[in-house]
Amino acid sequence: MINYTEKIPNNVDLGRDRVLQRALEHWQPAYMGWWYDMGPNESHNYEVYLRTAISVEPDGWAQFGYVKMPDYRWGIFLQPRDEKREVNFGIHKGQAAWQEVPGEYRSTLRRVIVTQGDTEPASVEQQRMLGSSCPSMYDLRNIFQVNVEEGRHLWAMVYLLHRYFGRDGREEAESLLARRSGDADNPRILGAFNEPTPDWLAFYMFTFFTDRDGKFQLCALAESGFDPLARTCRFMLTEEAHHMFIGETGVSRIIQRTCELMKEHKVEDPSDVRGLGVIDLQTIQRYLNFHYSVTLDLYGSDVSSNAANYFTSGLKGRFEETKINDDHLLSEALYPVYEVIGGKIAQKQVPALTALNERLRDDYIREIESGVSRWQRVIDKAGIPFRLTLPHKGFHRAIGNFAGHSISIDGEVLSEEAWKKQEYKWLPSPPDHAFVQSLMSGRVVEPGKFANWIAPPARGINNQPLNFEYVRFN
Ligand SMILES: [Fe+2]
Ligand SMILES: [Fe+2]
Protein backbone atom coordinates (compact mmCIF):
# COMPACT_ATOMS: atom_id res chain seq x y z
CA MET A 1 0.00 0.00 0.00
CA ILE A 2 1.00 3.60 -0.50
CA ASN A 3 1.64 5.80 2.48
CA TYR A 4 -0.46 8.97 2.04
CA THR A 5 0.25 10.37 5.48
CA GLU A 6 3.61 11.67 4.34
CA LYS A 7 4.24 14.92 2.53
CA ILE A 8 5.34 12.91 -0.49
CA PRO A 9 3.21 9.77 -0.84
CA ASN A 10 5.44 6.79 -1.60
CA ASN A 11 5.97 3.10 -1.29
CA VAL A 12 9.77 3.30 -1.17
CA ASP A 13 10.12 3.96 2.54
CA LEU A 14 11.24 7.50 1.84
CA GLY A 15 11.16 8.40 5.55
CA ARG A 16 14.18 6.18 6.16
CA ASP A 17 16.43 8.25 3.90
CA ARG A 18 16.33 11.74 5.37
CA VAL A 19 18.75 13.28 2.91
CA LEU A 20 16.79 12.04 -0.06
CA GLN A 21 13.50 13.03 1.52
CA ARG A 22 14.78 16.55 2.13
CA ALA A 23 16.07 16.84 -1.42
CA LEU A 24 12.71 15.81 -2.84
CA GLU A 25 10.83 18.08 -0.44
CA HIS A 26 12.99 20.85 -1.77
CA TRP A 27 12.09 19.97 -5.36
CA GLN A 28 8.37 19.71 -4.56
CA PRO A 29 7.63 23.48 -4.39
CA ALA A 30 9.51 23.99 -7.65
CA TYR A 31 7.31 21.31 -9.19
CA MET A 32 4.18 23.04 -7.84
CA GLY A 33 5.43 26.32 -9.30
CA TRP A 34 5.76 24.61 -12.64
CA TRP A 35 2.24 23.12 -12.32
CA TYR A 36 0.71 26.51 -11.52
CA ASP A 37 2.51 28.10 -14.48
CA MET A 38 2.34 25.33 -17.06
CA GLY A 39 -0.40 22.94 -15.90
CA PRO A 40 -3.96 23.11 -17.31
CA ASN A 41 -4.95 26.74 -17.74
CA GLU A 42 -7.39 28.26 -15.20
CA SER A 43 -8.04 24.87 -13.64
CA HIS A 44 -6.60 25.32 -10.18
CA ASN A 45 -9.92 25.73 -8.40
CA TYR A 46 -11.82 23.02 -10.24
CA GLU A 47 -12.74 19.85 -8.42
CA VAL A 48 -12.14 16.98 -10.78
CA TYR A 49 -13.37 13.40 -10.49
CA LEU A 50 -9.94 11.76 -10.64
CA ARG A 51 -8.51 8.38 -9.88
CA THR A 52 -5.57 8.23 -7.50
CA ALA A 53 -3.33 5.22 -6.98
CA ILE A 54 -3.80 3.63 -3.57
CA SER A 55 -1.85 0.45 -4.18
CA VAL A 56 0.62 -0.81 -6.74
CA GLU A 57 -1.02 -4.23 -6.87
CA PRO A 58 -2.73 -4.95 -10.18
CA ASP A 59 -6.17 -5.28 -8.51
CA GLY A 60 -7.93 -2.24 -7.20
CA TRP A 61 -5.10 0.24 -7.36
CA ALA A 62 -7.34 3.18 -8.13
CA GLN A 63 -9.59 5.26 -5.97
CA PHE A 64 -11.99 7.79 -7.50
CA GLY A 65 -13.04 11.07 -5.97
CA TYR A 66 -13.14 14.85 -6.40
CA VAL A 67 -9.72 16.46 -6.17
CA LYS A 68 -8.50 19.97 -6.84
CA MET A 69 -5.61 19.25 -9.15
CA PRO A 70 -2.97 21.19 -7.22
CA ASP A 71 -3.92 18.92 -4.27
CA TYR A 72 -3.43 15.74 -6.28
CA ARG A 73 -1.18 13.38 -4.33
CA TRP A 74 1.76 13.13 -6.69
CA GLY A 75 4.17 10.60 -5.34
CA ILE A 76 6.61 7.78 -5.87
CA PHE A 77 5.26 4.35 -6.62
CA LEU A 78 7.33 1.38 -7.69
CA GLN A 79 6.20 -2.10 -8.41
CA PRO A 80 7.31 -4.41 -5.55
CA ARG A 81 10.76 -5.90 -5.81
CA ASP A 82 11.25 -9.44 -7.03
CA GLU A 83 14.28 -10.67 -5.06
CA LYS A 84 15.10 -13.25 -7.72
CA ARG A 85 15.05 -10.91 -10.69
CA GLU A 86 18.08 -11.06 -12.97
CA VAL A 87 19.56 -9.05 -15.81
CA ASN A 88 17.82 -10.77 -18.70
CA PHE A 89 19.84 -9.69 -21.73
CA GLY A 90 23.21 -8.36 -22.85
CA ILE A 91 26.64 -9.21 -21.54
CA HIS A 92 25.52 -9.20 -17.88
CA LYS A 93 22.72 -11.68 -18.52
CA GLY A 94 22.23 -13.97 -15.52
CA GLN A 95 23.63 -11.56 -12.91
CA ALA A 96 21.31 -10.45 -10.15
CA ALA A 97 19.42 -7.32 -11.25
CA TRP A 98 21.24 -4.18 -10.10
CA GLN A 99 19.86 -2.32 -7.11
CA GLU A 100 22.41 0.46 -7.53
CA VAL A 101 23.68 2.10 -10.71
CA PRO A 102 26.80 0.37 -12.08
CA GLY A 103 29.51 3.05 -12.17
CA GLU A 104 30.41 2.51 -15.82
CA TYR A 105 26.82 3.08 -16.96
CA ARG A 106 26.09 6.07 -14.81
CA SER A 107 26.01 8.79 -17.44
CA THR A 108 24.28 6.63 -20.07
CA LEU A 109 21.56 5.64 -17.65
CA ARG A 110 21.12 9.20 -16.51
CA ARG A 111 20.63 10.31 -20.12
CA VAL A 112 18.03 7.59 -20.73
CA ILE A 113 16.07 8.62 -17.61
CA VAL A 114 16.26 12.34 -18.39
CA THR A 115 15.08 11.78 -21.97
CA GLN A 116 12.08 9.79 -20.77
CA GLY A 117 11.39 12.22 -17.92
CA ASP A 118 11.44 15.23 -20.24
CA THR A 119 8.49 13.96 -22.28
CA GLU A 120 6.19 13.90 -19.24
CA PRO A 121 5.95 17.62 -18.38
CA ALA A 122 6.27 18.43 -22.10
CA SER A 123 2.91 16.89 -22.93
CA VAL A 124 1.23 18.76 -20.06
CA GLU A 125 2.61 21.99 -21.51
CA GLN A 126 1.43 21.05 -24.99
CA GLN A 127 -2.11 20.43 -23.75
CA ARG A 128 -2.53 23.23 -21.27
CA MET A 129 -4.94 25.39 -23.26
CA LEU A 130 -7.33 22.65 -24.38
CA GLY A 131 -9.68 22.92 -21.39
CA SER A 132 -11.22 26.05 -22.86
CA SER A 133 -12.47 24.14 -25.91
CA CYS A 134 -13.45 20.75 -24.44
CA PRO A 135 -16.33 18.90 -26.10
CA SER A 136 -17.83 17.70 -22.79
CA MET A 137 -17.30 17.46 -19.06
CA TYR A 138 -16.37 13.82 -19.51
CA ASP A 139 -13.57 14.74 -21.93
CA LEU A 140 -12.43 17.60 -19.72
CA ARG A 141 -12.06 15.21 -16.82
CA ASN A 142 -10.11 12.83 -19.05
CA ILE A 143 -7.56 15.37 -20.20
CA PHE A 144 -7.02 16.43 -16.57
CA GLN A 145 -6.51 12.80 -15.59
CA VAL A 146 -3.86 12.47 -18.29
CA ASN A 147 -2.20 15.71 -17.15
CA VAL A 148 -1.93 14.79 -13.46
CA GLU A 149 -0.57 11.36 -14.36
CA GLU A 150 2.05 12.80 -16.69
CA GLY A 151 2.99 14.99 -13.74
CA ARG A 152 3.34 11.83 -11.65
CA HIS A 153 5.52 10.25 -14.34
CA LEU A 154 7.82 13.23 -13.97
CA TRP A 155 7.94 12.49 -10.23
CA ALA A 156 8.81 8.89 -11.03
CA MET A 157 11.86 9.87 -13.08
CA VAL A 158 12.89 12.62 -10.67
CA TYR A 159 12.87 10.12 -7.80
CA LEU A 160 15.37 7.97 -9.71
CA LEU A 161 17.55 11.00 -10.48
CA HIS A 162 17.58 12.14 -6.85
CA ARG A 163 17.98 8.72 -5.34
CA TYR A 164 20.67 7.29 -7.60
CA PHE A 165 22.53 10.11 -9.34
CA GLY A 166 23.60 12.49 -6.59
CA ARG A 167 24.29 16.07 -7.45
CA ASP A 168 24.10 15.53 -11.23
CA GLY A 169 20.69 13.97 -10.76
CA ARG A 170 19.44 16.90 -8.71
CA GLU A 171 20.61 19.32 -11.38
CA GLU A 172 18.87 17.31 -14.09
CA ALA A 173 15.68 17.33 -12.00
CA GLU A 174 15.77 21.13 -11.94
CA SER A 175 16.36 21.31 -15.69
CA LEU A 176 13.28 19.14 -16.23
CA LEU A 177 11.23 21.99 -14.78
CA ALA A 178 13.11 24.66 -16.74
CA ARG A 179 12.73 23.44 -20.33
CA ARG A 180 9.49 24.36 -22.11
CA SER A 181 7.70 22.67 -24.99
CA GLY A 182 8.26 24.65 -28.18
CA ASP A 183 10.54 27.22 -26.54
CA ALA A 184 13.09 28.67 -28.96
CA ASP A 185 15.88 28.90 -26.38
CA ASN A 186 15.20 26.02 -24.02
CA PRO A 187 12.98 23.46 -25.79
CA ARG A 188 12.04 19.95 -24.70
CA ILE A 189 14.52 17.28 -25.81
CA LEU A 190 12.50 15.38 -28.45
CA GLY A 191 10.88 16.83 -31.57
CA ALA A 192 7.30 15.58 -31.21
CA PHE A 193 7.17 17.13 -27.74
CA ASN A 194 7.82 20.57 -29.16
CA GLU A 195 4.93 20.40 -31.65
CA PRO A 196 1.79 22.27 -30.62
CA THR A 197 -1.36 20.31 -29.69
CA PRO A 198 -3.74 22.99 -30.94
CA ASP A 199 -7.10 21.22 -30.83
CA TRP A 200 -8.91 18.15 -29.53
CA LEU A 201 -8.45 16.07 -32.66
CA ALA A 202 -4.72 16.65 -32.23
CA PHE A 203 -5.02 15.75 -28.54
CA TYR A 204 -6.71 12.41 -29.22
CA MET A 205 -4.24 11.65 -32.01
CA PHE A 206 -1.40 12.53 -29.65
CA THR A 207 -2.66 10.24 -26.89
CA PHE A 208 -3.23 7.44 -29.41
CA PHE A 209 0.08 7.76 -31.28
CA THR A 210 2.54 9.55 -29.00
CA ASP A 211 1.49 8.19 -25.61
CA ARG A 212 1.85 4.79 -27.25
CA ASP A 213 5.45 5.62 -28.09
CA GLY A 214 5.67 6.27 -24.35
CA LYS A 215 4.28 2.82 -23.72
CA PHE A 216 6.87 1.11 -25.92
CA GLN A 217 9.76 3.09 -24.45
CA LEU A 218 8.54 2.25 -20.95
CA CYS A 219 8.19 -1.41 -21.91
CA ALA A 220 11.82 -1.43 -23.10
CA LEU A 221 12.96 0.28 -19.89
CA ALA A 222 10.82 -2.05 -17.78
CA GLU A 223 13.20 -4.81 -18.97
CA SER A 224 16.23 -2.90 -17.66
CA GLY A 225 18.84 -4.63 -15.56
CA PHE A 226 18.73 -1.55 -13.32
CA ASP A 227 15.91 -2.80 -11.16
CA PRO A 228 14.54 0.48 -9.71
CA LEU A 229 14.07 1.78 -13.27
CA ALA A 230 12.32 -1.41 -14.33
CA ARG A 231 9.97 -1.33 -11.35
CA THR A 232 9.20 2.36 -11.83
CA CYS A 233 8.32 1.86 -15.48
CA ARG A 234 6.12 -1.15 -14.77
CA PHE A 235 3.86 0.96 -12.62
CA MET A 236 3.85 3.87 -15.08
CA LEU A 237 2.56 1.49 -17.74
CA THR A 238 -0.65 0.88 -15.82
CA GLU A 239 -1.37 4.61 -16.00
CA GLU A 240 -0.33 4.90 -19.65
CA ALA A 241 -3.00 2.42 -20.76
CA HIS A 242 -5.76 4.87 -19.82
CA HIS A 243 -4.15 7.65 -21.88
CA MET A 244 -4.15 5.50 -24.99
CA PHE A 245 -7.75 4.50 -24.31
CA ILE A 246 -8.71 8.19 -24.26
CA GLY A 247 -6.94 8.72 -27.59
CA GLU A 248 -8.35 5.70 -29.36
CA THR A 249 -11.93 6.25 -28.21
CA GLY A 250 -11.68 10.00 -28.82
CA VAL A 251 -10.77 9.57 -32.49
CA SER A 252 -13.29 6.75 -32.79
CA ARG A 253 -16.09 8.96 -31.43
CA ILE A 254 -15.19 11.74 -33.88
CA ILE A 255 -15.28 9.26 -36.77
CA GLN A 256 -18.57 7.85 -35.53
CA ARG A 257 -20.22 11.26 -35.35
CA THR A 258 -18.97 12.21 -38.83
CA CYS A 259 -20.27 8.94 -40.27
CA GLU A 260 -23.66 9.35 -38.57
CA LEU A 261 -24.20 12.76 -40.12
CA MET A 262 -22.84 11.69 -43.51
CA LYS A 263 -25.43 8.93 -43.62
CA GLU A 264 -28.26 10.96 -42.24
CA HIS A 265 -27.73 13.75 -44.76
CA LYS A 266 -26.45 11.50 -47.56
CA VAL A 267 -23.33 13.55 -48.21
CA GLU A 268 -19.79 12.49 -49.01
CA ASP A 269 -18.00 15.53 -50.31
CA PRO A 270 -15.67 16.91 -47.60
CA SER A 271 -17.00 20.44 -47.92
CA ASP A 272 -20.59 19.21 -47.49
CA VAL A 273 -19.47 17.18 -44.48
CA ARG A 274 -17.85 20.24 -42.98
CA GLY A 275 -21.07 22.12 -43.61
CA LEU A 276 -22.70 19.79 -41.08
CA GLY A 277 -20.26 20.93 -38.40
CA VAL A 278 -18.26 17.71 -38.21
CA ILE A 279 -14.73 16.81 -39.27
CA ASP A 280 -14.48 15.21 -42.71
CA LEU A 281 -12.73 11.82 -42.88
CA GLN A 282 -10.08 13.25 -45.23
CA THR A 283 -8.99 15.74 -42.59
CA ILE A 284 -8.91 12.98 -39.97
CA GLN A 285 -6.65 11.01 -42.33
CA ARG A 286 -4.30 13.99 -42.68
CA TYR A 287 -4.06 14.40 -38.91
CA LEU A 288 -3.34 10.69 -38.64
CA ASN A 289 -0.54 11.01 -41.21
CA PHE A 290 1.01 13.85 -39.26
CA HIS A 291 0.92 12.31 -35.80
CA TYR A 292 2.05 8.90 -37.01
CA SER A 293 5.07 10.20 -38.92
CA VAL A 294 6.18 12.60 -36.19
CA THR A 295 5.90 9.85 -33.59
CA LEU A 296 7.87 7.33 -35.68
CA ASP A 297 10.83 9.70 -35.41
CA LEU A 298 10.82 9.32 -31.62
CA TYR A 299 12.31 5.84 -31.95
CA GLY A 300 15.52 7.31 -33.33
CA SER A 301 17.88 6.21 -36.10
CA ASP A 302 17.20 2.92 -37.84
CA VAL A 303 20.79 1.87 -37.28
CA SER A 304 22.15 3.05 -33.96
CA SER A 305 25.27 2.18 -32.00
CA ASN A 306 23.73 3.85 -28.93
CA ALA A 307 20.79 1.47 -29.06
CA ALA A 308 23.23 -1.44 -29.41
CA ASN A 309 25.17 -0.22 -26.36
CA TYR A 310 22.05 0.20 -24.25
CA PHE A 311 21.12 -3.39 -25.03
CA THR A 312 24.54 -4.96 -24.64
CA SER A 313 25.01 -3.22 -21.29
CA GLY A 314 21.63 -4.46 -20.05
CA LEU A 315 20.12 -0.99 -19.69
CA LYS A 316 17.27 -1.07 -22.22
CA GLY A 317 15.72 -4.27 -23.53
CA ARG A 318 13.41 -5.13 -26.38
CA PHE A 319 9.62 -5.06 -26.19
CA GLU A 320 8.67 -8.15 -24.14
CA GLU A 321 12.32 -9.19 -23.93
CA THR A 322 11.79 -12.13 -21.61
CA LYS A 323 9.11 -13.61 -23.88
CA ILE A 324 11.45 -13.66 -26.88
CA ASN A 325 13.02 -17.01 -27.59
CA ASP A 326 16.62 -16.28 -28.59
CA ASP A 327 20.06 -15.76 -27.03
CA HIS A 328 19.19 -12.26 -25.69
CA LEU A 329 22.62 -11.18 -26.90
CA LEU A 330 21.93 -10.75 -30.61
CA SER A 331 25.46 -11.76 -31.44
CA GLU A 332 24.59 -13.31 -34.81
CA ALA A 333 21.07 -12.16 -35.69
CA LEU A 334 20.18 -9.86 -38.58
CA TYR A 335 17.28 -7.43 -38.93
CA PRO A 336 15.92 -5.67 -42.01
CA VAL A 337 16.05 -1.88 -42.29
CA TYR A 338 15.24 0.38 -45.22
CA GLU A 339 17.30 2.96 -46.99
CA VAL A 340 16.99 5.15 -50.04
CA ILE A 341 19.41 4.20 -52.82
CA GLY A 342 19.30 5.73 -56.28
CA GLY A 343 15.79 7.08 -55.96
CA LYS A 344 14.35 3.81 -54.65
CA ILE A 345 13.66 2.38 -51.21
CA ALA A 346 15.67 -0.78 -50.66
CA GLN A 347 15.72 -3.29 -47.85
CA LYS A 348 19.00 -4.16 -46.23
CA GLN A 349 19.93 -6.71 -43.56
CA VAL A 350 22.01 -5.29 -40.73
CA PRO A 351 23.16 -6.74 -37.40
CA ALA A 352 20.03 -6.91 -35.25
CA LEU A 353 21.96 -5.41 -32.37
CA THR A 354 22.29 -2.14 -34.25
CA ALA A 355 18.65 -2.15 -35.45
CA LEU A 356 16.93 -2.15 -32.06
CA ASN A 357 15.30 1.24 -32.58
CA GLU A 358 13.84 -0.01 -35.84
CA ARG A 359 12.64 -3.18 -34.17
CA LEU A 360 10.86 -1.26 -31.40
CA ARG A 361 9.35 1.00 -34.06
CA ASP A 362 8.06 -2.09 -35.89
CA ASP A 363 6.54 -3.48 -32.69
CA TYR A 364 4.82 -0.14 -32.24
CA ILE A 365 3.56 -0.09 -35.84
CA ARG A 366 1.90 -3.47 -35.38
CA GLU A 367 -0.11 -2.18 -32.44
CA ILE A 368 -0.99 1.01 -34.31
CA GLU A 369 -2.26 -1.05 -37.24
CA SER A 370 -4.77 -2.87 -35.08
CA GLY A 371 -5.99 0.40 -33.54
CA VAL A 372 -6.49 1.93 -36.98
CA SER A 373 -8.39 -1.14 -38.12
CA ARG A 374 -10.77 -0.65 -35.16
CA TRP A 375 -11.41 2.91 -36.38
CA GLN A 376 -11.98 1.51 -39.86
CA ARG A 377 -14.71 -0.76 -38.52
CA VAL A 378 -16.70 2.28 -37.40
CA ILE A 379 -16.62 3.59 -40.99
CA ASP A 380 -17.42 0.18 -42.46
CA LYS A 381 -20.34 -0.32 -40.10
CA ALA A 382 -21.80 2.95 -41.33
CA GLY A 383 -21.44 1.63 -44.88
CA ILE A 384 -19.26 4.53 -45.99
CA PRO A 385 -16.72 3.70 -48.72
CA PHE A 386 -13.68 5.33 -47.14
CA ARG A 387 -10.42 3.66 -46.14
CA LEU A 388 -8.15 4.97 -43.42
CA THR A 389 -4.58 4.01 -44.17
CA LEU A 390 -1.22 4.30 -42.49
CA PRO A 391 1.35 6.18 -44.53
CA HIS A 392 4.54 4.48 -45.65
CA LYS A 393 7.10 4.32 -42.86
CA GLY A 394 9.37 6.73 -44.76
CA PHE A 395 6.75 9.44 -45.21
CA HIS A 396 7.51 12.83 -43.61
CA ARG A 397 10.42 11.59 -41.54
CA ALA A 398 13.10 13.80 -40.02
CA ILE A 399 15.21 11.17 -38.27
CA GLY A 400 16.86 8.01 -39.56
CA ASN A 401 17.47 6.67 -43.05
CA PHE A 402 14.49 8.48 -44.59
CA ALA A 403 15.46 11.90 -43.25
CA GLY A 404 16.25 14.35 -46.02
CA HIS A 405 14.27 12.35 -48.57
CA SER A 406 10.89 13.32 -49.96
CA ILE A 407 8.83 10.15 -49.63
CA SER A 408 5.20 10.11 -50.70
CA ILE A 409 2.44 8.61 -48.66
CA ASP A 410 2.76 5.40 -50.72
CA GLY A 411 6.52 5.16 -50.35
CA GLU A 412 7.54 6.70 -53.64
CA VAL A 413 10.78 8.71 -53.63
CA LEU A 414 9.96 12.15 -55.06
CA SER A 415 11.79 15.35 -55.78
CA GLU A 416 11.37 17.92 -53.07
CA GLU A 417 9.36 20.04 -55.45
CA ALA A 418 6.95 17.25 -56.33
CA TRP A 419 6.52 16.44 -52.65
CA LYS A 420 5.84 20.05 -51.69
CA LYS A 421 3.14 20.25 -54.35
CA GLN A 422 1.22 17.48 -52.63
CA GLU A 423 2.06 18.30 -49.03
CA TYR A 424 -1.45 19.43 -48.08
CA LYS A 425 -3.06 16.47 -49.73
CA TRP A 426 -1.23 14.45 -47.06
CA LEU A 427 -0.77 16.68 -44.06
CA PRO A 428 -3.17 19.11 -42.35
CA SER A 429 -3.02 22.52 -44.02
CA PRO A 430 -3.47 25.85 -42.24
CA PRO A 431 -7.11 25.95 -43.47
CA ASP A 432 -7.65 22.41 -42.08
CA HIS A 433 -6.42 23.56 -38.70
CA ALA A 434 -8.52 26.70 -38.92
CA PHE A 435 -11.60 24.63 -39.71
CA VAL A 436 -11.06 22.15 -36.88
CA GLN A 437 -10.45 25.00 -34.46
CA SER A 438 -13.56 26.81 -35.67
CA LEU A 439 -15.60 23.83 -34.42
CA MET A 440 -13.92 24.11 -31.03
CA SER A 441 -14.33 27.78 -30.33
CA GLY A 442 -15.85 27.31 -26.88
CA ARG A 443 -16.20 24.62 -24.25
CA VAL A 444 -19.20 22.33 -23.73
CA VAL A 445 -19.55 21.67 -20.01
CA GLU A 446 -23.22 21.07 -19.28
CA PRO A 447 -23.33 17.58 -17.70
CA GLY A 448 -24.34 15.00 -20.32
CA LYS A 449 -23.95 17.38 -23.28
CA PHE A 450 -21.47 16.76 -26.10
CA ALA A 451 -20.19 19.01 -28.86
CA ASN A 452 -21.77 18.39 -32.25
CA TRP A 453 -18.52 17.05 -33.76
CA ILE A 454 -18.09 14.07 -31.42
CA ALA A 455 -20.28 11.15 -30.35
CA PRO A 456 -20.75 10.42 -26.64
CA PRO A 457 -18.61 7.58 -25.29
CA ALA A 458 -20.07 4.12 -24.79
CA ARG A 459 -19.90 4.51 -21.01
CA GLY A 460 -18.82 6.91 -18.30
CA ILE A 461 -15.79 6.84 -16.03
CA ASN A 462 -15.87 4.36 -13.13
CA ASN A 463 -19.43 3.30 -14.11
CA GLN A 464 -20.77 6.79 -13.59
CA PRO A 465 -23.51 7.93 -15.99
CA LEU A 466 -22.63 10.18 -18.93
CA ASN A 467 -24.42 13.13 -17.32
CA PHE A 468 -22.35 12.82 -14.15
CA GLU A 469 -20.73 16.02 -12.95
CA TYR A 470 -17.14 15.04 -13.73
CA VAL A 471 -15.83 18.53 -13.04
CA ARG A 472 -17.10 21.07 -10.52
CA PHE A 473 -16.06 24.56 -11.54
CA ASN A 474 -16.69 26.40 -8.25
FE1 LIG B 1 3.76 9.49 -19.26
FE1 LIG C 1 0.80 9.24 -21.13
Side-chain angles (χ1 to χ4, degrees):
M1 288 305 265
I2 292 163
N3 186 349
Y4 274 105
T5 61
E6 290 183 52
K7 205 166 165 197
I8 299 171
N10 71 90
N11 69 346
V12 293
D13 213 355
L14 196 56
R16 274 181 49 183
D17 188 339
R18 291 287 168 196
V19 176
L20 172 65
Q21 189 179 29
R22 260 202 303 277
L24 282 164
E25 284 178 1
H26 187 73
W27 186 81
Q28 193 175 33
Y31 170 81
M32 289 312 299
W34 169 82
W35 180 268
Y36 275 106
D37 288 348
M38 299 311 295
N41 192 38
E42 292 181 352
S43 66
H44 305 313
N45 247 329
Y46 301 172
E47 289 177 77
V48 188
Y49 187 68
L50 294 177
R51 66 172 187 184
T52 304
I54 48 168
S55 147
V56 291
E57 303 303 325
D59 51 329
W61 69 279
Q63 176 186 293
F64 285 83
Y66 287 99
V67 179
K68 284 189 181 175
M69 284 189 285
D71 302 334
Y72 186 78
R73 303 306 314 275
W74 284 289
I76 299 154
F77 316 125
L78 273 64
Q79 193 136 97
R81 184 173 158 189
D82 168 4
E83 304 284 336
K84 290 197 243 40
R85 186 165 181 267
E86 295 180 347
V87 181
N88 293 312
F89 58 92
I91 50 172
H92 303 292
K93 187 175 176 303
Q95 290 178 10
W98 310 311
Q99 300 306 323
E100 294 293 331
V101 179
E104 72 261 48
Y105 301 140
R106 200 177 170 79
S107 64
T108 317
L109 208 43
R110 193 181 70 220
R111 183 149 31 107
V112 168
I113 291 169
V114 167
T115 307
Q116 177 61 41
D118 193 66
T119 66
E120 314 290 356
S123 64
V124 176
E125 293 165 5
Q126 287 169 296
Q127 295 161 13
R128 70 181 296 265
M129 299 307 291
L130 290 174
S132 58
S133 57
C134 67
S136 74
M137 220 175 217
Y138 163 91
D139 290 280
L140 186 62
R141 175 265 168 213
N142 283 353
I143 195 171
F144 289 159
Q145 182 74 61
V146 171
N147 293 157
V148 294
E149 286 175 353
E150 300 306 4
R152 207 204 66 74
H153 291 177
L154 173 60
W155 271 93
M157 294 296 117
V158 163
Y159 163 71
L160 294 175
L161 290 169
H162 272 249
R163 165 72 178 79
Y164 297 98
F165 296 88
R167 191 204 173 112
D168 296 347
R170 289 194 293 277
E171 281 170 11
E172 294 284 12
E174 309 226 325
S175 302
L176 284 167
L177 295 175
R179 285 185 287 272
R180 289 286 180 272
S181 176
D183 191 276
D185 301 321
N186 196 12
R188 291 295 172 184
I189 296 169
L190 300 170
F193 293 90
N194 287 304
E195 297 283 348
T197 308
D199 57 64
W200 280 77
L201 179 56
F203 168 69
Y204 297 129
M205 290 286 180
F206 185 96
T207 40
F208 177 81
F209 285 104
T210 311
D211 281 73
R212 193 178 313 274
D213 160 70
K215 169 190 165 173
F216 278 83
Q217 301 298 341
L218 291 176
C219 282
L221 296 176
E223 302 290 346
S224 181
F226 178 47
D227 202 43
L229 175 62
R231 289 160 54 209
T232 304
C233 291
R234 284 266 169 244
F235 185 67
M236 290 164 77
L237 281 164
T238 63
E239 293 165 313
E240 211 58 71
H242 184 57
H243 308 176
M244 293 181 292
F245 160 83
I246 290 170
E248 179 171 336
T249 53
V251 174
S252 183
R253 289 160 53 208
I254 292 177
I255 293 173
Q256 187 189 329
R257 182 66 182 148
T258 298
C259 290
E260 278 167 14
L261 288 196
M262 285 174 75
K263 267 186 73 179
E264 193 181 319
H265 295 265
K266 300 195 173 55
V267 295
E268 271 181 23
D269 188 86
S271 60
D272 296 335
V273 174
R274 286 186 177 195
L276 300 170
V278 291
I279 306 170
D280 52 292
L281 298 173
Q282 289 78 358
T283 298
I284 294 171
Q285 174 73 61
R286 286 192 286 274
Y287 268 68
L288 180 162
N289 297 342
F290 174 80
H291 287 272
Y292 177 64
S293 56
V294 167
T295 305
L296 287 185
D297 275 340
L298 290 174
Y299 291 84
S301 297
D302 317 47
V303 175
S304 161
S305 57
N306 273 344
N309 287 335
Y310 294 167
F311 183 83
T312 302
S313 341
L315 304 180
K316 184 176 175 184
R318 291 170 290 178
F319 179 58
E320 303 196 318
E321 181 70 44
T322 48
K323 294 187 190 158
I324 300 171
N325 187 13
D326 67 8
D327 66 356
H328 302 278
L329 285 169
L330 297 175
S331 37
E332 308 280 313
L334 297 175
Y335 196 85
V337 297
Y338 293 88
E339 57 184 8
V340 180
I341 304 169
K344 287 253 176 318
I345 294 173
Q347 202 191 64
K348 178 173 138 186
Q349 298 288 331
V350 299
L353 193 54
T354 64
L356 287 167
N357 288 342
E358 182 69 355
R359 179 182 173 122
L360 195 60
R361 183 161 29 232
D362 288 339
D363 289 327
Y364 166 82
I365 290 173
R366 271 190 287 279
E367 212 178 270
I368 288 290
E369 282 169 345
S370 36
V372 172
S373 70
R374 287 190 291 274
W375 291 340
Q376 182 64 45
R377 260 182 257 149
V378 178
I379 303 173
D380 294 345
K381 249 174 120 178
I384 290 166
F386 184 90
R387 282 217 71 76
L388 280 176
T389 50
L390 279 180
H392 186 275
K393 211 195 245 183
F395 171 73
H396 189 233
R397 291 287 304 282
I399 288 173
N401 289 349
F402 294 112
H405 295 283
S406 303
I407 315 285
S408 79
I409 204 101
D410 310 314
E412 210 187 325
V413 184
L414 302 177
S415 70
E416 200 185 329
E417 203 195 346
W419 193 92
K420 270 276 162 202
K421 265 194 195 146
Q422 306 187 76
E423 179 177 3
Y424 292 135
K425 224 168 75 187
W426 299 326
L427 293 172
S429 65
D432 288 339
H433 280 127
F435 168 71
V436 172
Q437 278 161 46
S438 75
L439 296 181
M440 304 173 189
S441 54
R443 64 184 194 181
V444 177
V445 287
E446 214 182 300
K449 283 258 180 314
F450 289 82
N452 179 60
W453 50 266
I454 191 165
R459 61 191 64 82
I461 292 296
N462 191 33
N463 296 318
Q464 298 291 355
L466 291 187
N467 63 2
F468 183 73
E469 193 177 16
Y470 288 104
V471 180
R472 294 177 181 153
F473 293 107
N474 300 311

